[in-house]
Structures are given as C-alpha cells and as structure tokens.
Amino acid sequence: MEFSPTAVVVANDSGTILFANENVQNWFGYACSELTGSTLEGLLPEIAGRDEHAHSAHPVSHATSCQRRGGRQRAVCKDGSEVVVDVTLVPVEEQSEPLLLASLSKSESEAIDGERLESERLDAIAKMISGLAHESRNALQRAVACLDLLELDFAGEDRQLELSRKIRRSLSDLLSNYDEVRRFAEPIVLSRTPTHLVPLCRDVFIDLRKHYQAWTNQIEFIVDQPEDDVALVDRGKLDEVFYYILDNAFDQPQERIKVRIEFRRTTLEGQPAVRICVHNDGRPFYPEALQRAFEPFYTTKQHGTGLGLSISRRLVEAHRGRIQVRNPESGGAAIEILLPVRRGPADPRR
C-alpha cells in the first residue's frame, strides 16, 4: 500500500483512520499524525452518503454498497480547499476487526476512466494481499516445522501420525494458496523468445497427469503447419498460463474429459499472431462465469483461490495478447488466446 500510485487509506469499523500512505499526505497536505486517529468522513465528507441507508458512524458496514456505486467524491485538504477524487472502497475481511481500504486517485477529467480505476484498485489490493500472504506464509512454515518435531514423538502411534498428516496436507493447501496470491500480486517481467507452444503445453499436461495420478483425461493437439504454434513468449510465464487453463479444463465432475487444443495463424491489431483454442467436452461455463471468469477471487469451485484465470489474463496481456472464454455451439467450454508472433513497436514490460 505504501508504494501504490494511488492514495490509500485504511479505516476501522467506526470510520477511524488507521493508516494513510504518503500520497494521502502529499496530495491533501496532512501530516501522518494528523490523519491517524481522525475520521474518514473528515477526509471524504460524502462517504457515508454514498448509501442512502448508511449510518454515518459505520461506513465500513456499508462498504459493499459503497464499492458497488463507487465514483467521484470531494476530498477536503488541510487548508480547507476541496479536490475531486475517484474513490474505490474495498472491504478487508478475515481480520481481527472489519477494515475498509479506500483507494483515491486524482480525477483528471469529467469522464471517469473505468479501466484506470480498476487498475489502481487492483494495484492497491495486490500490494496489501502480497504483504499479508508473506507474513502468513512464514507462520504456516513455522507450523510445519512444529509438526516435524511432533511426529518424532508420535513414532509408532498410528492414530496421532494420521492426524498429523492431515494437518500437514491442510497446511500444504494453504501454502499453495498463498503462493498463488503472491503470483497474482507480483510484477510481471518478461524474457521472450520464439517458442513452439505444443511441446510446452504437452509438458504441462504430463505434469498435471503425474500430479493427479489416476487421470484418464485425454488431450489432442491440432496444428495445420509446422510453424503455426510458434510465438514470441516468456516460456515460464506461458507454462503457468497453460497450467491454469488445463487444470481448469480438466477439473470436471465427470470421469473422463477430452481436451482439443488448436493452434492457428491469425492477426492481432494488424500483426501476425497465434490463436490458441483450448476446448474441453465437459460442462459449459455458467452464464455468470462467462462475465466474471477473469475476475480475481471469483470461482464456482469449492477449492482454490479463484485467481488462476485472473493470473492467466495478466500474463497474456503482458505479452500484448488477448484471452477470452466462450461456450461453443458444439458443447463444452473453450478458452481462446491470441499471442503476437513478434514484438510490437510499443511492447511494455510490466
């Protein structure tokens, strides 16, 4: 949060400011000591009024409604002047007390840039989550170390050892979730080389099959010409994209799933590109999932973080590519990716 390009404020359930980063201080003229302990409404007078049913003393309890409406508000500076800012409110759960993260960006025009607001909101959330994940991961690793010592004392006691193994598996699942959150939050730096995508995808499928052991799922690759699967990509990042997509494609309730992956030449913004269509014969995407598939933390499953496809989109877009989901008329579900064959003239490294 400290390094966010937006002004970030964290308040508790009563609206008392607990933290404000340097942008809040620089933009509005307050010292840190003046902000900490003051009310959020002193900085943003309209925050409680965003919801007609909200009580002014409890803005956090109405954060979901505020976030849904979002938008532009007045911020009061130390000298009494007012500036217009774009505000996004994010409830922070799973804490000892309810918290509210407010991300404020300077309003540069009369029309709100939705993509910019979304980018800034995710930036603030990602930095906060990254810090939480790091500290929680350290605590989980200490718990695993304690289990190692306990199991030495449980030698020969099958019941206790089985309970210990169950705890270890649960901790391992949590560690995997934190690693996924970290990957979502970390910056993307690409090292791109011309790469044949079929062998890369096939290796991911083999790794997944080993992981799930009794898999009977099948995969088929369709490439018309020998060079149709070549794109300029970061092998490690695309390996991660294929892992999330194939894991999602094969995670179906039926016993056996077949996935067809087609590689075709196409164009993207007038430049040569590779179109990758991953089509499974399982159940289609739910209507809501078609709209929200790439939304962070959205999932229709009982396990996982809901970040896999969101991370995939970030990685694909970092390559200046595109990704989308759809339900083909032939049935099943499909994920399509477009990747450029060569570096564009304005290829940012994010």
Side-chain angles (χ1 to χ4, degrees):
M1 291 187 290
E2 191 61 64
F3 297 101
S4 172
T6 65
V8 178
V9 177
V10 177
N12 64 14
D13 188 47
S14 64
T16 301
I17 295 177
L18 306 177
F19 169 84
N21 69 357
E22 288 189 4
N23 281 340
V24 179
Q25 303 167 42
N26 295 336
W27 293 0
F28 308 117
Y30 298 98
C32 181
S33 58
E34 295 172 316
L35 289 171
T36 304
S38 63
T39 64
L40 190 58
E41 290 181 22
L43 179 65
L44 299 170
E46 300 172 353
I47 188 170
R50 302 304 293 180
D51 185 351
E52 59 184 0
H53 302 294
H55 189 284
S56 60
H58 297 86
V60 176
S61 62
H62 302 276
T64 301
S65 179
C66 290
Q67 182 185 3
R68 183 172 61 248
R69 296 190 179 193
R72 186 165 298 166
Q73 296 190 34
R74 294 177 298 112
V76 179
C77 300
K78 182 179 179 180
D79 61 8
S81 62
E82 296 182 350
V83 295
V84 178
V85 293
D86 297 322
V87 181
T88 303
L89 303 176
V90 181
V92 182
E93 301 177 351
E94 305 298 333
Q95 303 298 308
S96 57
E97 63 173 326
L99 299 177
L100 177 68
L101 184 149
S103 177
L104 291 66
S105 57
K106 291 183 176 179
S107 182
E108 300 173 353
S109 65
E110 290 300 318
I112 298 177
D113 185 342
E115 291 185 1
R116 174 170 59 85
L117 286 179
E118 177 69 4
S119 175
E120 292 169 348
R121 180 180 74 88
L122 290 179
D123 180 79
I125 294 173
K127 286 181 170 60
M128 177 191 67
I129 289 175
S130 182
L132 291 174
H134 174 74
E135 295 303 322
S136 300
R137 196 177 194 282
N138 289 340
L140 288 171
Q141 288 175 330
R142 291 195 296 271
V144 171
C146 291
L147 275 180
D148 292 337
L149 296 175
L150 283 174
E151 287 180 358
L152 294 176
D153 296 333
F154 290 154
E157 300 183 30
D158 294 341
R159 172 63 177 168
Q160 284 78 4
L161 285 174
E162 177 60 24
L163 290 173
S164 177
R165 282 191 287 268
K166 289 181 178 179
I167 295 173
R168 186 182 295 276
R169 284 194 295 270
S170 298
L171 292 176
S172 178
D173 290 342
L174 285 173
L175 285 170
S176 296
N177 288 342
Y178 281 125
D179 282 339
E180 194 165 326
V181 170
R182 176 186 55 79
R183 287 194 294 273
F184 170 74
E186 67 186 5
I188 299 173
V189 179
L190 302 179
S191 177
R192 309 215 283 180
T193 56
T195 302
H196 281 278
L197 301 178
V198 169
L200 190 66
C201 192
R202 182 181 290 114
D203 289 343
V204 170
F205 174 73
I206 292 173
D207 289 342
L208 279 169
R209 187 165 55 188
K210 291 178 181 177
H211 175 73
Y212 288 105
Q213 297 179 352
W215 254 18
T216 58
N217 297 325
Q218 296 181 342
I219 194 166
E220 177 186 5
F221 298 98
I222 301 174
V223 185
D224 287 343
Q225 301 295 327
E227 298 298 311
D228 280 0
D229 69 325
V230 176
L232 189 66
V233 300
D234 183 304
R235 290 180 58 89
K237 299 296 190 293
L238 255 292
D239 183 275
E240 196 169 348
V241 171
F242 284 140
Y243 181 91
Y244 286 126
I245 290 177
L246 290 181
D247 191 37
N248 185 76
F250 284 122
D251 189 7
Q252 302 278 340
Q254 59 198 80
E255 294 182 357
R256 187 171 184 171
I257 295 291
K258 182 176 181 180
V259 170
R260 297 171 68 250
I261 306 182
E262 298 183 25
F263 298 84
R264 309 283 189 194
R265 282 294 190 202
T266 185
T267 59
L268 177 61
E269 297 179 352
Q271 300 297 320
V274 175
R275 174 182 172 272
I276 308 161
C277 180
V278 182
H279 180 197
N280 75 66
D281 63 358
R283 65 188 179 192
F285 287 104
Y286 296 118
E288 182 185 26
L290 287 173
Q291 302 295 323
R292 303 181 61 192
F294 299 106
E295 181 179 311
F297 307 109
Y298 172 77
T299 180
T300 59
K301 304 170 186 176
Q302 294 182 348
H303 58 86
T305 61
L307 287 174
L309 290 182
S310 181
I311 293 173
S312 298
R313 182 176 67 175
R314 288 190 67 219
L315 295 175
V316 169
E317 290 180 350
H319 284 82
R320 296 189 64 80
R322 296 177 185 172
I323 183 171
Q324 65 176 357
V325 299
R326 63 183 180 87
N327 289 330
E329 293 182 0
S330 58
I335 297 179
E336 291 187 355
I337 301 173
L338 293 179
L339 291 171
V341 171
R342 56 175 179 263
R343 195 187 308 279
D347 186 12
R349 296 203 170 198
R350 299 190 290 174

